[in-house]
Amino acid sequence: MAQYPIKNPIIFLAFGLGSGLSPKAPGTAGSALSLVFFPLLCVLGLCGSVAFIVVATLFGFWLCGKAADILKVHDHEAIVWDEFVGQWIALLPLLASAAWNAQTYMGVILAFILFRFFDILKPWPISWCDKHLEGGFGIMVDDLLAGIAAGGILWFIVSKNWLASLV
């Protein structure tokens, strides 16, 4: 396995607290680790979470670009900060409910599955952004769109109260 400057705080954060070093499916590992922040999003509420995600996104443009420069590879597979932020976006529809119950847990699982679906398959326009945008912005945008797509579907499911039928 290649050696990375993981002690560098830029690399450590860009690698999703080290989750991007997973030998198999680093993006999935990053998305999974990002779920441990769901309770924080719940505490922040919808408005606070949106503000948190906006800051994490703006920071991510710089962070991912800087990490790519350090590694001398555009969108290195171990850079998973973009998966963190995309996954957090996908979780937003669950923050309208204050209740922690089986539906909430099913929603988190569904948000994870939907986000990974869009992030891996990259339907248009996600695929276009992935291929044509450069730097930290380019690294982040496809995952932001995947999170929006996943969150949109999850919002529809939540608004129809269909999570109850899944548990």
Side-chain angles (χ1 to χ4, degrees):
M1 181 198 279
Q3 294 294 317
Y4 299 107
I6 195 72
K7 290 183 181 179
N8 179 326
I10 292 168
I11 299 300
F12 181 69
L13 288 173
F15 281 20
L17 311 178
S19 62
L21 292 173
S22 172
K24 302 254 190 217
T28 300
S31 295
L33 184 60
S34 75
L35 297 176
V36 303
F37 291 89
F38 182 66
L40 171 65
L41 297 178
C42 291
V43 169
L44 293 175
L46 184 58
C47 291
S49 293
V50 168
F52 175 78
I53 290 168
V54 166
V55 169
T57 298
L58 296 173
F59 176 67
F61 293 153
W62 173 82
L63 178 71
C64 293
K66 188 71 172 163
D69 289 345
I70 291 168
L71 298 170
K72 297 179 180 20
V73 177
H74 174 70
D75 205 357
H76 190 284
E77 67 177 8
I79 297 174
V80 296
W81 181 262
D82 49 334
E83 272 82 5
F84 270 49
V85 178
Q87 185 66 69
W88 294 335
I89 292 170
L91 291 166
L92 286 175
L94 299 175
L95 300 177
S97 171
W100 277 78
N101 54 35
Q103 290 181 42
T104 306
Y105 294 110
M106 180 56 69
V108 170
I109 292 166
L110 189 55
F112 177 78
I113 292 168
L114 287 168
F115 175 69
R116 294 311 302 146
F117 173 82
F118 285 106
D119 189 31
I120 292 167
L121 293 184
K122 297 189 188 312
W124 189 91
I126 299 168
S127 59
W128 186 91
C129 293
D130 184 51
K131 291 176 184 151
H132 293 93
L133 300 177
E134 297 292 325
F137 183 78
I139 293 170
M140 290 286 296
V141 167
D142 64 307
D143 292 273
L144 299 176
L145 291 175
I148 291 168
I153 291 172
L154 185 60
W155 172 83
F156 183 77
I157 291 168
V158 167
S159 71
K160 297 293 184 186
N161 201 26
W162 290 347
L163 280 178
S165 66
L166 296 174
V167 290

